[in-house]
Amino acid sequence: MEALVLFDTLKGKFGDAVVELQGEGCTPAFVVVASASVKEIARFLRDDPALSFDSLMCLSGVDYKEKFAVAYHLYSMKHRHAIGMKAFLPRETPSLPTVDDVWPAANFHEREAFDLFGIVFEGSKDLRRILLPEDWEGHPLRKDYKYPDFYHGIKV
Amino acid sequence: MSPDPAHGTPPGTPAAPPAHGSALSPGLGPEAHVMVGNADLFVNWARKSSLWYLLFATACCGIELMQAGASRYDLDRFGAVFRATPRQSDLMLVAGTITHKMADRVKRLYEQMPEPKYVIAMGSCANTGGPFYKDSYCVVKGVDLLIPVDVYIPGCPPRPEALIDGIMSLQKIIMRKKNFGAKA
């Protein structure tokens, strides 16, 4: 399905929660959505027979300095089409609903985004650090991250 | 020892003159029984000839370590065989990047090894942090910040020949050790 057609479908169904289409003509184009509606839109993208995005290829956190974003790369095994979905978050309270009950694969990716960016996924079944030690302070891929001098007595 | 213990000469009967050697060591020359030497030499020779190393590969250096242990380079001919537990190991080959999360485990594994124990830092990451030296929050900048290191092997990763050279250097170090009397 063409990205523009898909965008119009989403816009017709979710209205203002679907903001704009970015990078049209790129692979994949990105549908920017409101962060609070991520879960409903994700469920629609997965369950609608014409879309059936059954595979969450990747979920990444992004730091744009003045705001965060979470990017979802979706793919449909049935229709062999792909789309991106992006939600922007305010820097002060970076949180949005989890999609790990829509695509179970989301859990590890959400944990990574939480670990390295501090983005909170509300309602997640298991939101812990995944790469860094449990007692690590801060989220290292944030642009304003300050390296600690020592960790457990070892110079960093 | 009698040359044939199962059918030895009964006590009291005069022993037949042995075919070879002396009365002290029938059947063998006297040199087979007495070896004059240095106890350090013997102990060190035994230690350097059975350097069992801990299977401890955290990154791509581990692939070279596996090659060195396999048939083409064959570390076994130095008496170096891998052990899957620190309690049976003499040598810790740190093959790969050590992160801060791993650092506690490295220390614990080293402490679980029985004395005498040796450490070889294999490759740039274990030596200094390697490519992660400049700008990394998660990599330990050299395993010598955690445990004492005997031999450093440069390379990214070192070839098996370099690893074998490192093990031979460690063997030379072991042969210089003093185990008895006044410590050198």
Side-chain angles (χ1 to χ4, degrees), chain A residues 69-113:
Chain A
V70 176
Y72 305 78
H73 283 81
L74 308 174
Y75 185 76
S76 169
M77 299 284 176
K78 189 176 162 195
H79 301 300
R80 299 193 179 178
H81 57 196
I83 194 72
M85 180 167 78
K86 196 184 274 186
F88 290 107
L89 310 166
R91 202 179 174 85
E92 297 74 38
T93 53
S95 76
L96 76 170
T98 178
V99 292
D100 65 1
D101 47 351
V102 183
W103 299 286
N107 179 245
F108 271 24
H109 294 88
E110 288 180 350
R111 282 176 64 183
E112 189 191 29

Side-chain angles (χ1 to χ4, degrees), chain B:
Chain B
M1 203 176 114
S2 165
D4 188 0
H7 306 95
T9 324
T13 44
H20 309 286
S22 65
L24 192 68
S25 54
L28 295 164
E31 68 281 0
H33 280 244
V34 181
M35 198 166 94
V36 179
N38 181 326
D40 275 334
L41 197 67
F42 175 68
V43 169
N44 288 339
W45 168 78
R47 282 178 180 166
K48 79 151 192 181
S49 308
S50 63
L51 277 174
W52 292 4
Y53 58 92
L54 177 63
L55 265 188
F56 187 66
T58 50
C60 42
C61 282
I63 304 295
E64 301 296 307
L65 171 60
M66 291 169 216
Q67 291 217 57
S71 54
R72 188 179 177 100
Y73 293 97
D74 197 15
L75 271 184
D76 287 20
R77 64 205 156 106
F78 299 94
V81 294
F82 66 81
R83 296 278 98 190
T85 162
R87 299 185 194 283
Q88 297 174 353
S89 306
D90 310 294
L91 166 64
M92 190 178 197
L93 265 166
V94 183
T97 319
I98 301 298
T99 58
H100 282 287
K101 196 175 182 179
M102 194 71 185
D104 292 345
R105 281 82 168 171
V106 174
K107 259 193 266 189
R108 181 175 299 179
L109 285 169
Y110 178 74
E111 284 159 6
Q112 284 176 340
M113 285 163 61
E115 295 276 358
K117 49 191 172 186
Y118 313 97
V119 176
I120 290 181
M122 178 183 179
S124 297
C125 291
N127 291 340
T128 65
F132 311 103
Y133 180 78
K134 181 82 177 90
D135 202 23
S136 170
Y137 54 87
C138 56
V139 174
V140 178
K141 311 298 187 301
V143 76
D144 50 4
L145 295 174
L146 309 172
I147 52 178
V149 175
D150 294 283
V151 175
Y152 298 86
I153 305 173
C156 189
R159 285 185 59 87
E161 290 97 325
L163 177 59
I164 289 169
D165 186 58
I167 287 177
M168 287 165 73
S169 306
L170 180 64
Q171 287 182 329
K172 282 176 199 151
I173 291 171
I174 292 171
M175 283 308 279
R176 290 203 299 268
K177 299 260 185 199
K178 299 268 181 249
N179 307 298
F180 301 99
K183 288 276 192 292

